Amino acid sequence: MAKGLSRSVIVDAALAVLDDDGIDGVTVRAVAQRLDVKAPALYWHVAGKQELLDEMGTEIQRRVIQELVARLDEKADWREGLTTYARVLREEYLAHRDGARTFSGTRLTDPEVLRAQEPWLERWVDQGLSVQDATDAATLVTSFVVGFVIEEQERAQGGQQRYSLSERDANVGPDAPLVHESGRIIYDDPSARFERLVNVLLDGLAATMRSGA
């Protein structure tokens, strides 16, 4: 076993590789090169790329939880909690190249990260949600953030030449003003659109819970 290697050191190196080269560049060999060791040294800690991605995803979720604890008052209701969760998750995904594609669907490897969900679930159940309602709401918000950020990152990383509003307007022509307006809603301010759509999603969840549907 190479001296000084640990899972946390390996994850930090893997995140650096991700930021430089994207998800396709994250391999055990590339991370080993970043750490100036041979690839077999890493297999003491991770069995392969998927396990490496799982460890990376677990670290991101750990950071999300830490940020939620720092930002949220203990008396925050479920809606404020989920709104803050959506914002923090988006920020963590955007902090890394291909973040949403890389970390979504990874398996959490640290039981303490899973256990950290217990106080939130307990609080929301005390506020009147069932465990199913709380779980479904968190799942829907997570899925929305993943999809939104994948699109957001693809546009940003693809460069302006692929997503030019002026070129889009020219291609559409002058006789479709609503399509022009729609384009500005989609492309002009992703943060404002994110906040708006999170509110739409949570309004729908709240209405569903009230109706008992």
Side-chain angles (χ1 to χ4, degrees):
M1 186 185 307
K3 186 177 179 180
L5 274 186
S6 66
R7 285 200 173 204
S8 62
V9 169
I10 292 168
V11 167
D12 285 345
L15 290 171
V17 171
L18 176 67
D19 292 342
D20 286 347
D21 302 321
I23 188 173
D24 294 334
V26 178
T27 65
V28 173
R29 183 180 297 277
V31 175
Q33 289 175 344
R34 172 79 56 156
L35 293 168
D36 197 26
V37 298
K38 300 296 185 182
L42 269 63
Y43 289 117
W44 286 93
H45 303 276
V46 292
K49 179 171 180 174
Q50 187 55 60
E51 189 169 323
L52 179 60
L53 293 174
D54 288 342
E55 291 295 335
M56 295 163 69
T58 299
E59 174 58 25
I60 294 302
Q61 190 63 26
R62 188 179 293 115
R63 296 177 186 181
V64 168
I65 291 169
Q66 290 170 348
E67 192 63 24
L68 281 174
V69 170
R71 293 192 194 185
L72 275 176
D73 185 273
E74 288 187 2
K75 296 180 181 179
D77 65 14
W78 68 268
R79 179 163 183 151
E80 183 179 352
L82 283 173
T83 300
T84 305
Y85 167 67
R87 291 169 181 160
V88 171
L89 191 62
R90 176 176 177 247
E91 290 167 9
E92 289 294 336
Y93 284 172
L94 286 176
H96 298 280
R97 181 175 172 182
D98 294 332
R101 282 207 299 143
T102 301
F103 307 129
S104 62
T106 51
R107 180 179 66 89
L108 297 180
T109 62
D110 183 354
E112 290 306 310
V113 174
L114 288 167
R115 287 177 58 82
Q117 300 172 14
E118 184 73 13
W120 305 100
L121 290 170
E122 186 177 61
R123 189 179 309 161
W124 296 346
V125 168
D126 288 344
Q127 293 170 3
L129 273 66
S130 67
V131 176
Q132 179 173 315
D133 281 343
T135 302
D136 287 349
T139 300
L140 283 168
V141 170
T142 301
S143 298
F144 165 73
V145 175
V146 169
F148 187 96
V149 177
I150 285 176
E151 289 291 324
E152 187 175 11
Q153 289 188 311
E154 286 298 318
R155 290 182 186 124
Q157 292 165 185
Q160 290 300 314
Q161 71 277 8
R162 291 185 63 209
Y163 297 97
S164 166
L165 268 175
S166 59
E167 185 174 313
R168 181 182 187 272
D169 288 348
N171 289 335
V172 168
D175 57 344
L178 298 181
V179 175
H180 288 236
E181 183 178 352
S182 175
R184 275 148 187 77
I185 292 171
I186 293 171
Y187 296 113
D188 264 359
D189 190 341
S191 292
R193 186 163 57 96
F194 179 81
E195 292 289 329
R196 187 171 64 252
L197 293 179
V198 167
N199 280 325
V200 169
L201 176 58
L202 294 179
D203 283 346
L205 286 168
T208 299
M209 291 172 189
R210 285 195 300 270
S211 71

